[in-house]
Amino acid sequence: MTSSRPIRARIAPTAILHNYRLAKRHAPQARAWAVVKANAYGHGQWRAVEALCGEADGFALLEAENAVALREAGVTQPILLLEGVFSARDVRAVIEHRLTCVVHCLEQLELLVRNGQFTAPVALYLKLNTGMNRLGFTPETLAKAWAILQQLPQLDVTLMTHFAEADGERGVGEQLARFQGMAGDWSGPVCLANSAAILHHPQTHGDWVRPGIMLYGASPFAEQSAESLGLKPVMTLESAIIGVQDLVAGDRVGYGGTFTADKPMRVGVVACGYADGYPRHAPSGTPIAVMGRRTKTVGRVSMDMLACDLTDIPEAGIGAPVTLWGEGLAGSVPADEVASAAGTIAYELFCALAPRVPVSTDENPTVNRK
Ligand SMILES: *Cc1c(COP(=O)(O)O)cnc(C)c1O
């Protein structure tokens, strides 16, 4: 039985499909891995896979178990393991289920070679460290990797790298130059671009791109809104007003009394707190919508509640609908704006959606609301 506490997250699969198509329009020559790691950035792996399975060129995620579950559910497209194998069992899964596998260091390559019977071609993504300094081969270890790979003709290799600043001022130039230097006269397939590079750096598109955050309707750029990029919001977090307080000047709100009314005010208490995944660091002034009107939060976010200013929304009483982020009947608040107010990014808000929040799939947003 779902709880009657009013908080809900709604997911719009048609918006995921729209956003995937937008990625493809930006990179029309490339195929695209729909990145569904981390439970599809908090949106539900199966919801995202179902939304895209008629169209995605492939799916990218982390755990071999999840990849196998996709195969068992009938997904026939390529599936990419973004961090490669962690164990001999993963190697067997890669071979048995024809998974595409990142290899980012010699130890991992040896794990594959030791545990794999390469009787059919296995698709490997050799990951090059071009400046992010997280995962990937250096020019020295890459030479050793090529030597090992010479002995395995049954491999189908793609070169990949990951950009650290495709969304920022430095861009991709330095990393792209290093990639080209390391690739030498490589003429096989390459895969470089995340959402930011898909949208801003067409010279990186290569043979495959890897859209993640853009599928979920948030912007990879601090300075450019998702809407201006043509992205549609996918997750809407909504709740309702469960308490109203009339304040006089000098009254404080919430733990720590961090907000003080400077005039008479009407404050609404919303059934949503940090235990629902709302960021505790969102300060007073974070945007929120009530009954179709934008307003601001006041005071500290507590575990199960937060407060907002209803002074200019006198029609909003107990039960009034609230949109915390996304596009709801109570109004529209880009997740990027909430994230930026809280000093984080929409990626983190989405991934932090708490298990206690009931999630529903929106087939038809104007009809199918509970
Ligand atoms: C998560 C991830 C992506 C997707 O990045 P976005 O910024 O969400 O588009 C692409 N490539 C790799 C290797 C990743 O881990």
Side-chain angles (χ1 to χ4, degrees), residues 236-239 288-290 321-333:
T236 299
L237 181 62
E238 54 193 11
S239 187
I288 186 169
V290 182
V322 175
T323 299
L324 285 310
W325 63 67
E327 212 166 70
L329 287 192
S332 161
V333 183

Side-chain angles (χ1 to χ4, degrees), residues 20 59 82 84 124 143 175 179-180 201 203 234 248 262 278 365:
Y20 179 82
F59 293 98
L82 284 165
L124 291 190
Q175 280 192 261
F179 181 83
Q180 284 155 350
H201 305 290
Q203 73 278 27
V234 176
V248 298
D262 59 1
Y278 195 91

Side-chain angles (χ1 to χ4, degrees), residues 63-339:
E63 303 85 358
E65 295 73 21
N66 286 335
V68 171
L70 260 57
R71 280 279 178 266
E72 286 171 349
V75 171
T76 55
Q77 289 101 323
I79 303 176
L80 174 63
L81 298 181
L82 284 165
E83 291 181 350
V85 291
F86 298 98
S87 67
R89 194 183 60 173
D90 288 354
V91 178
R92 291 191 291 275
V94 162
I95 293 168
E96 183 179 343
H97 296 281
R98 294 162 291 105
L99 307 178
T100 303
C101 184
V102 166
V103 181
H104 62 75
C105 66
L106 288 170
E107 289 80 354
Q108 200 176 41
L109 183 54
E110 282 153 12
L111 179 65
L112 266 166
V113 171
R114 248 194 340 269
N115 294 284
Q117 312 278 309
F118 296 98
T119 52
V122 171
L124 291 190
Y125 267 47
L126 270 195
K127 184 164 189 174
L128 311 187
N129 175 13
T130 56
M132 181 141 184
N133 289 311
R134 208 172 54 173
L135 299 179
F137 290 98
T138 60
E140 297 70 41
T141 55
L142 181 62
K144 292 183 183 159
W146 282 130
I148 296 170
L149 290 168
Q150 297 302 306
Q151 296 151 25
L152 300 170
Q154 296 279 37
L155 295 177
D156 148 23
V157 174
T158 297
L159 290 187
M160 80 175 285
T161 195
H162 190 55
F163 295 120
E165 301 179 62
D167 58 322
E169 263 181 29
R170 259 196 295 263
V172 298
E174 200 179 309
Q175 280 192 261
L176 191 57
R178 276 197 213 169
F179 181 83
Q180 284 155 350
M182 284 173 80
D185 57 6
W186 175 256
S187 59
V190 301
C191 174
L192 315 170
N194 57 4
S195 298
I198 291 166
L199 293 165
H200 276 185
H201 305 290
Q203 73 278 27
T204 66
H205 288 171
D207 299 275
W208 282 85
V209 293
R210 304 188 302 271
I213 193 66
M214 69 181 295
L215 300 180
Y216 308 103
S219 171
F221 310 110
E223 310 296 332
Q224 217 175 341
S225 72
E227 188 182 13
S228 74
L229 293 164
L231 296 167
K232 288 195 179 155
V234 176
M235 182 193 292
T236 299
L237 181 62
E238 54 193 11
S239 187
I241 301 289
I242 59 168
V244 175
Q245 304 293 340
D246 289 297
L247 309 185
V248 298
D251 281 347
R252 291 182 297 280
V253 178
Y255 285 119
T258 60
F259 177 86
T260 306
D262 59 1
K263 56 178 193 314
M265 274 183 84
R266 222 168 139 256
V267 162
V269 176
V270 183
C272 176
Y274 61 78
D276 298 299
Y278 195 91
R280 183 176 172 277
H281 290 105
S284 290
T286 300
I288 186 169
V290 182
M291 288 185 86
R293 312 264 304 274
R294 293 250 310 199
T295 181
K296 292 169 172 180
T297 66
V298 293
R300 231 176 236 168
V301 173
S302 50
M303 186 182 286
D304 310 314
M305 286 171 263
L306 58 81
C308 64
D309 186 356
L310 296 183
T311 312
D312 296 329
I313 317 177
E315 67 276 25
I318 306 278
V322 175
T323 299
L324 285 310
W325 63 67
E327 212 166 70
L329 287 192
S332 161
V333 183
D336 290 314
E337 288 184 31
V338 176

